[in-house]
Amino acid sequence: MAVGHHPDRAAPVRNSSAWMWFTGTGVVVTAGYYVLPHLGVPGVAQSLIFIGVSTAAALALLAGTVLNRPASRFPWLVLAAAQGMYSIGDTVYFILHTVLHREDYPDLADVFYLLQYPLICWALVIFIRRRTPGRDRIALIDAGVLAVPTGMVAWIFVISAQGGGEGSLPARLVSAAYPTMDLLVLAVALRLVLGVGTRTAAYRLLVASLTLQLVADILYVLTKDTYKDGSLIDSLWFGAYFLLGATALHPSMRSLDRRSARTVVIPSRGRLILLAAASLLPLVVMVVQHSDAHVVATAIAGGVTFLLIMARMSEQAAEERVLAIRDGLTDAYSSDFVAETMQTECERAFFVRGELAVLLVGVDNLKLINAMYGNNGGDLVLHEVAARLRTAGRPGDVVARWEGDTFLVLLAGTPPRHAIQLAERMREGVSADHVDIGDETRVRVTVSIGVGTMPAEGVSARELVRAADQWLYAAKRSGRNRTYSRTGPVAEAPLAAPVPYQPYGPQQGAVPRPR
């Protein structure tokens, strides 16, 4: 291979239409499968076509793996082995039942048929592990929520009937094994669908193939006593096989197992409705099986209660998303949000040799206010102080509740002189009017402010906060209701009007970028 040649390039151009040709061939073969009996062709031809289709799917998986050269071939080879098991099972079944005219059940063909399912699950698990950057427990739980009620319905109406019917013990066990294996594939497929990862064309083809196969298997189990070769169920199997082969032949199969940048999927309303419906399924089954009035009433009450709990949790989740950004008491930004924002702004200012300031604003004598007027009075004071800080600041200044009685104001693109003047305006804005705390009681509130500036006092968020905290402590110690910076107590007049941000970049007289 030539130096610098990337194996993932050029190949898709040559093979981009292979999946379409394979799918188109599937449509023609499926149509011919149903036309042949009307032309007087012996029924054995249909059996041979069925074997050919399942074998072609296995070969298409191998061919696609070779042509498209995915980063990891192993899961595709496992998937090809799974389809190969089914093809071998079809061949053995044809020999035993059509050539040798044996009607034993179970027989050797069932061994190969059943081996297909764990191999499919193995391949899907590998895809899931490679697509998921973390554990994504939410997707796993959601898959369980959907799979467990489905498994219960399958057990009551299908599996128990198959395992408890007539016939020998091996026959009943094998009959029950088929729907059980389908449930296993369904559970793993749901985890794939509900998890993170790119939804490429190959991904959609794979999901469509699995869906058709599961539907066909379920219909076969339900109509096993009346099933005959050439029924409409065969068309579903054909569709599943051709779509599976097309999955590997499609060029996007190379990115099907690509690791996602997103760690979790934000649940949509439709997803929550689906999960709620699945959770109510056991109650529906109970009502269907037991029509007693008390059972129906209990099921309805349980269902309504569950839906109310779901609504409650949904509202709480929405509130928690807001609280991750906003403080619930003051409506200022949260400390976690401003800490992350501050670090980003520090890195940006450092890169472009810009300036930045951090104000730590401490409410004076808040403990005394709480002692005299109760915690509710202190809460009203904090809420009003946050509002006055936002009013005195500029649009875009980040006002956050840092801890307890302390607020942090992030001033991006602000030189020290303007930061000090803004701090003074905020201090005077807070104390300009008394705060109403209810019961016709008004109290005078003041704040002390410490100013930390970049790059003079540090280039990281931790260093700026430490500097601002040092000057806040100095302001408190010197009598409160004043502003301190590294130059000492502030004697400058506050800004009379908001000033725009100064763009990041080298400024006249700017301090050289720290090294």
Side-chain angles (χ1 to χ4, degrees), residues 320-369:
E320 289 177 351
R321 284 196 293 270
V322 173
L323 291 177
I325 300 176
R326 294 281 184 178
D327 175 62
L329 172 62
T330 63
D331 199 35
Y333 286 104
S334 68
S335 58
D336 289 340
F337 173 82
V338 76
E340 185 173 340
T341 304
M342 185 164 41
Q343 186 59 41
T344 301
E345 292 293 343
C346 286
E347 292 171 358
R348 182 183 294 123
F350 178 80
F351 182 76
V352 299
R353 302 183 185 181
E355 294 175 304
L356 181 145
V358 169
L359 311 182
L360 276 184
V361 182
V363 181
D364 297 329
N365 299 314
L366 183 65
K367 290 183 179 179
L368 180 60
I369 295 174

Side-chain angles (χ1 to χ4, degrees), residues 65 94 116 118 155 165 215 227 233 302 309 314 331 371 456 459 463 495:
T65 303
F94 175 79
Q116 176 196 25
W155 173 264
V215 171
Y227 169 81
I233 298 176
I309 293 174
S314 177
D331 199 35
V459 294
E463 291 170 335
L495 289 172

